[in-house]
Amino acid sequence: MALNGIQIFKLTPKKNCKECGCPTCMAFSMKVAQGAMKIEQCPHMSEEALASLSEATAPPMKTIKIGTGDGEFSLGGETVLFRHEKTFVSKTRYAVSLCTCMDDAAVEAKLAEIPKVDYERIGERMYAELVYVNCSEGADAAAYTALVEKAAALGRTLVLGCADSEIAKAALAVCKDSKPVLNGANASNYEAMNAVATEAGVVLGVSGKDINELYDTVAALEKLGNKNLVLDVTGADLKETFANAVLVRRAALKDQDRTFGYPSIVNTVKIAKGDVHMQAALASLFTMKYGSIIVMEQMTYAEALPLYGLRQNVFTDPQKPMKVEPGIYPLNGADENSLVVTTVDFALTYFVVSGELERSGVPLNLVINDAGGLSVLTSWAAGKFSGNSISKFIIENVEPKVKCRKLLIPGKVAVLKGDLEAKLPGWEIIVGPREAVQLVKFLKDMQA
């Protein structure tokens, strides 16, 4: 049986053909071709065929792993250009830049600022996952290695921006166990940089003066046997960088050219030229088109909040709505005697409602139970936000912790009031407004 021109079955049945079942083999082959099954699941596959097919059926963009432990990240592995076609696989990772051209005070200030942006949103930790350590022209091995050691102390995965093979070797000696990226190969040094990266067992970043040179350098590295690569698509300006990022992705996914089938690095420090507002805009742009690693001059809350929100939307399965973890969320300094308010676990509803509740300034406990990640009316219609589900969660999780027996429910499900009164004896069920924007006035009127 052949798939994509490769003979995938070399069967030697022990007794007869029924033992492997030719029709079954045909069905299995079709599922493999569609991506529904993995080729390794066939018990009759020869080692030769398995090796050939594993590469032939792999995604056109290779999945590259960097870092170790909690700092291990997957890059690439994408199969589509647009999110509406299929879920993206590996989310963009952000790196804050350090450079040997900075003085000690600036380095220490940057290292102190990086850990300050670290928070959780809808079950996902939001922080700068990487630190980009750049070796400027004229820096020596001792200065660069010292900066790498300082950056490594943060416990973040490193990207070493260094095109000098001897300096890179010295730097890797102190950090190679954490599996950083060595970003420094180009047309003039790729052989030496390849030797350094291969010896250290780290991913090698490749760049070129234009996209044609980048292609030729990647092809040369592949001939040397190195396919553990990322492509630095940063150009001289925004226009060139954007074109490079898109062309590399299209060549890999649409043209099936595996020479460009690697994740990308975009260095906004080079093209933003010190403009922090431009940097934020560029980071947003290349989160969508198509940076696997985006290098930034800084990362503050002002930049992180919208940027990570965008990333979470882009890299979430559109068929699986984002959900908030069920629980009790005290707002405005609430305690066990504060009013209880409930709504669904759909992330958008939660953030809209919680924002208005915080704006009211009224201390209260926002209770979220499992409603299937649906909006209020949709979850009520589906039977997931019902008298049974709400009362069960209140009895099991809220009553042991909260003394207040007043429960505010969304106005759109006012029909649940009677059912909840019957299932929650001793509780006063209050029907709130139909729209979140009306909560501030409603709560202040209640307090009055």
Side-chain angles (χ1 to χ4, degrees):
M1 178 71 193
L3 176 62
N4 292 339
I6 300 172
Q7 190 70 29
I8 65 173
F9 289 108
K10 294 185 179 180
L11 302 172
T12 308
K14 295 179 181 177
K15 294 182 180 179
N16 53 53
C17 287
K18 292 182 180 179
E19 200 164 312
C20 69
C22 293
T24 303
C25 291
M26 176 68 78
F28 175 78
S29 300
M30 295 306 298
K31 288 185 177 180
V32 170
Q34 295 165 3
M37 296 185 73
K38 294 183 179 179
I39 195 70
E40 294 86 353
Q41 291 177 259
C42 177
H44 306 291
M45 186 70 62
S46 69
E47 291 185 7
E48 179 188 354
L50 182 60
S52 299
L53 258 296
S54 293
E55 184 172 350
T57 59
M61 176 177 286
K62 189 175 177 63
T63 298
I64 299 295
K65 290 189 178 294
I66 63 173
T68 58
D70 292 339
E72 181 180 86
F73 306 107
S74 293
L75 308 174
E78 304 297 345
T79 58
V80 294
L81 284 173
F82 306 106
R83 178 176 176 267
H84 64 263
E85 296 177 286
K86 189 178 179 181
T87 307
F88 287 157
V89 176
S90 301
K91 67 183 68 173
T92 298
R93 302 295 175 176
Y94 302 112
V96 175
S97 178
L98 297 173
C99 183
T100 51
C101 60
M102 300 166 62
D103 59 36
D104 290 343
V107 169
E108 295 301 329
K110 184 78 71 71
L111 291 172
E113 285 296 317
I114 290 172
K116 291 182 180 179
V117 177
D118 194 341
Y119 62 97
E120 188 171 302
R121 182 180 186 271
I122 320 179
E124 182 181 336
R125 185 184 175 197
M126 308 294 193
Y127 69 111
E129 299 98 340
L130 313 176
V131 177
Y132 189 95
V133 188
N134 186 55
C135 183
S136 60
E137 188 175 349
D140 58 26
Y144 187 60
T145 301
L147 183 59
V148 169
E149 287 181 316
K150 288 181 179 180
L154 283 178
R156 309 293 169 89
T157 300
L158 302 183
V159 182
L160 307 182
C162 179
D164 186 304
S165 60
E166 293 303 317
I167 295 177
K169 184 183 293 186
L172 284 170
V174 301
C175 69
K176 65 181 180 181
D177 290 341
S178 62
K179 299 299 179 185
V181 177
L182 174 57
N183 184 35
N186 55 48
S188 64
N189 70 358
Y190 71 88
E191 290 180 323
M193 294 299 287
N194 177 65
V196 172
T198 302
E199 182 181 355
V202 301
V203 175
L204 181 61
V206 192
S207 62
K209 65 180 181 182
D210 56 37
I211 197 165
N212 294 317
E213 184 176 280
L214 176 61
Y215 186 92
D216 292 341
T217 306
V218 173
L221 283 164
E222 289 184 327
K223 286 182 180 179
L224 294 175
N226 192 349
K227 294 187 177 182
N228 198 25
L229 308 171
V230 295
L231 312 184
D232 191 333
V233 298
T234 310
D237 53 27
L238 169 57
K239 180 179 179 181
E240 183 180 349
T241 304
F242 182 77
N244 290 347
V246 173
L247 288 172
V248 163
R249 183 66 61 94
R250 287 187 64 86
L253 301 189
K254 290 297 184 183
D255 300 336
Q256 300 290 298
D257 189 336
R258 291 177 184 266
T259 301
F260 268 166
Y262 297 97
S264 299
I265 296 177
V266 177
N267 194 333
T268 67
V269 176
K270 292 182 179 180
I271 49 179
K273 302 185 186 328
D275 186 335
V276 293
H277 302 296
M278 175 61 75
Q279 174 193 258
L282 292 175
S284 300
L285 170 66
F286 288 108
T287 295
M288 297 182 288
K289 302 280 186 182
Y290 289 104
S292 301
I293 296 174
I294 296 178
V295 183
M296 305 176 67
E297 184 68 42
Q298 63 182 27
M299 175 69 76
T300 65
Y301 269 110
E303 294 165 322
L305 288 170
L307 187 60
Y308 286 124
L310 171 67
R311 183 181 74 172
Q312 197 167 47
N313 284 328
V314 171
F315 290 91
T316 299
D317 187 344
Q319 302 300 319
K320 297 179 181 178
M322 289 187 288
K323 298 167 58 175
V324 176
E325 191 71 22
I328 304 172
Y329 295 83
L331 302 176
N332 303 325
D335 57 25
E336 60 184 7
N337 296 309
S338 300
L339 174 70
V340 178
V341 180
T342 190
T343 191
V344 294
D345 59 348
F346 179 41
L348 179 59
T349 299
Y350 168 81
F351 284 112
V352 170
V353 170
S354 63
E356 294 300 324
L357 294 177
E358 288 179 340
R359 197 162 66 88
S360 75
V362 177
L364 48 85
N365 291 298
L366 179 57
V367 172
I368 304 293
N369 67 294
D370 187 357
L374 305 172
S375 63
V376 173
L377 285 178
T378 307
S379 59
W380 169 74
K384 295 181 179 294
F385 191 58
S386 63
N388 286 334
S389 65
I390 296 172
S391 60
K392 182 180 179 182
F393 191 84
I394 293 288
I395 292 169
E396 293 179 356
N397 300 281
V398 180
E399 287 187 347
K401 301 175 183 178
V402 177
K403 293 181 179 179
C404 178
R405 292 298 181 261
K406 291 183 178 182
L407 174 64
L408 178 66
I409 65 173
K412 288 183 177 178
V413 289
V415 66
L416 296 178
K417 176 177 168 62
D419 192 20
L420 286 170
E421 287 174 337
K423 290 181 168 64
L424 293 173
W427 281 78
E428 179 185 352
I429 308 301
I430 304 169
V431 177
R434 292 179 60 83
E435 302 297 335
V437 72
Q438 299 169 333
L439 279 167
V440 175
K441 181 178 185 304
F442 184 89
L443 289 168
K444 288 184 177 179
D445 289 345
M446 276 186 63
Q447 292 293 96

